[in-house]
Amino acid sequence: MVNGDGSLKVFSFAQIKKITKNFSEKLGEGGFGCDFKGTMPVSTMVAVKRLKGFVQGDKQFRAEVQTIGMIQHTNLVRLLGFCAGEDRRLLVYEYMIADFGMAKLLGRDYSRVLTTMRGTIGYLAPEWISGVPITQKADVYSYGMMLLEIISGRRNSEKIKEGKFTYFPTYAAVKLNEGNGMCLLDNGLGGNADAEQLARACRVSCWCIQDAADHRPMMGQVVRMLEGVMDVEVPPVPRSLQKYVGMEDSNCSDWTASEVSC
């Protein structure tokens, strides 16, 4: 799928149409475009995101997707290729839907965007749904959620029955405040981690998911904190998570089907 030199595969629009059977099986629709199920010639399942609202020229778009394609981690969805031509921009992912990072790719004017954004519960900042102005801090929130998943090796929410979810960020924020960050580590690592670095990463992730955008750090600060050149205090449990403290399951009735698409 990815070229031998590690670069992303470039698809023609005709190839994309063939892979998706002319966009016949829609997986969902988010604020950045529609997602379609696709099958490669070797029977590999993929998800194709047809972007909307992009503003870059072809050269800039290609440069940015190549940068995104360099990001690889077992807990992150991998970008496999793209299609760019005329007025079309499409991304080919491993078979999983992801909107994280699309704000930069689409070149939104963050200072003026007001939206009724839809997205997967737990990954989008509260302001996407509440309709307040969107800033770069919205991607900081998504980064914090993804960082929690990288640390723990588990999804941030899992549906267990109708209307009921287990919500890992609540557990993580509480345990971090109790000084028990080690229990958040991916079980597959067998406890093999530096406790201080783990605590630092957990603190950073919980600062990133604060409810108020102005309480979240800028990404430059996130980098300095993770590198250990900037102190990281223990963050408070976000207000939106406090009501779930002490509950075995998190009732997500506040995030109705009309507000999010899971």
Short mmCIF file of all heavy atoms in Angstrom, two decimals, residues 16 46 72 123 129 137 192 215 222 235:
data_model
loop_
_atom_site.label_atom_id
_atom_site.label_comp_id
_atom_site.label_asym_id
_atom_site.label_seq_id
_atom_site.Cartn_x
_atom_site.Cartn_y
_atom_site.Cartn_z
N ILE A 16 -9.73 5.45 -7.04
CA ILE A 16 -10.54 5.63 -5.83
C ILE A 16 -11.97 5.16 -6.08
O ILE A 16 -12.59 4.49 -5.23
CB ILE A 16 -10.53 7.10 -5.38
CG1 ILE A 16 -9.13 7.52 -4.94
CG2 ILE A 16 -11.54 7.33 -4.26
CD1 ILE A 16 -8.65 6.88 -3.67
N VAL A 46 -10.02 -0.64 3.41
CA VAL A 46 -9.56 0.71 3.69
C VAL A 46 -10.76 1.62 3.90
O VAL A 46 -11.90 1.26 3.57
CB VAL A 46 -8.69 1.27 2.54
CG1 VAL A 46 -7.41 0.49 2.38
CG2 VAL A 46 -9.48 1.31 1.23
N GLN A 72 3.58 7.26 12.58
CA GLN A 72 3.22 5.85 12.70
C GLN A 72 3.26 5.43 14.16
O GLN A 72 4.22 5.70 14.87
CB GLN A 72 4.18 4.97 11.90
CG GLN A 72 4.16 5.25 10.40
CD GLN A 72 5.05 4.29 9.64
OE1 GLN A 72 5.26 3.15 10.06
NE2 GLN A 72 5.58 4.74 8.52
N TYR A 123 -13.34 12.54 21.36
CA TYR A 123 -12.16 12.98 20.64
C TYR A 123 -12.22 14.45 20.26
O TYR A 123 -11.19 15.09 20.10
CB TYR A 123 -11.96 12.14 19.37
CG TYR A 123 -11.66 10.70 19.68
CD1 TYR A 123 -12.68 9.77 19.80
CD2 TYR A 123 -10.35 10.28 19.90
CE1 TYR A 123 -12.41 8.45 20.11
CE2 TYR A 123 -10.07 8.97 20.21
CZ TYR A 123 -11.11 8.05 20.32
OH TYR A 123 -10.84 6.76 20.64
N ILE A 129 -19.05 21.14 19.64
CA ILE A 129 -20.47 20.82 19.77
C ILE A 129 -21.27 21.99 20.32
O ILE A 129 -22.40 22.23 19.92
CB ILE A 129 -20.64 19.58 20.67
CG1 ILE A 129 -19.98 18.37 20.01
CG2 ILE A 129 -22.11 19.30 20.96
CD1 ILE A 129 -19.94 17.14 20.86
N LYS A 137 -6.71 25.33 20.02
CA LYS A 137 -6.80 24.50 21.23
C LYS A 137 -7.74 23.30 21.03
O LYS A 137 -7.72 22.37 21.83
CB LYS A 137 -7.30 25.36 22.40
CG LYS A 137 -6.34 26.48 22.81
CD LYS A 137 -5.07 25.92 23.41
CE LYS A 137 -4.19 27.01 24.00
NZ LYS A 137 -4.73 27.61 25.22
N ASN A 192 6.92 -1.94 32.26
CA ASN A 192 8.26 -1.51 31.84
C ASN A 192 8.21 -0.08 31.32
O ASN A 192 8.12 0.18 30.12
CB ASN A 192 8.78 -2.45 30.75
CG ASN A 192 10.21 -2.11 30.34
OD1 ASN A 192 10.95 -1.48 31.10
ND2 ASN A 192 10.58 -2.53 29.14
N HIS A 215 -7.56 26.92 29.28
CA HIS A 215 -6.87 26.16 30.32
C HIS A 215 -5.94 25.11 29.72
O HIS A 215 -5.14 24.51 30.44
CB HIS A 215 -7.88 25.47 31.24
CG HIS A 215 -8.63 26.43 32.11
ND1 HIS A 215 -9.70 26.04 32.89
CD2 HIS A 215 -8.49 27.76 32.31
CE1 HIS A 215 -10.17 27.09 33.54
NE2 HIS A 215 -9.45 28.14 33.19
N VAL A 222 3.22 21.91 25.06
CA VAL A 222 3.09 20.46 25.19
C VAL A 222 4.43 19.79 24.89
O VAL A 222 4.88 18.90 25.62
CB VAL A 222 2.00 19.92 24.24
CG1 VAL A 222 2.05 18.39 24.17
CG2 VAL A 222 0.62 20.37 24.70
N PRO A 235 -2.96 18.35 36.95
CA PRO A 235 -4.14 19.08 36.47
C PRO A 235 -5.39 18.70 37.26
O PRO A 235 -5.48 17.61 37.83
CB PRO A 235 -4.26 18.62 35.02
CG PRO A 235 -3.71 17.23 35.05
CD PRO A 235 -2.59 17.25 36.06
#
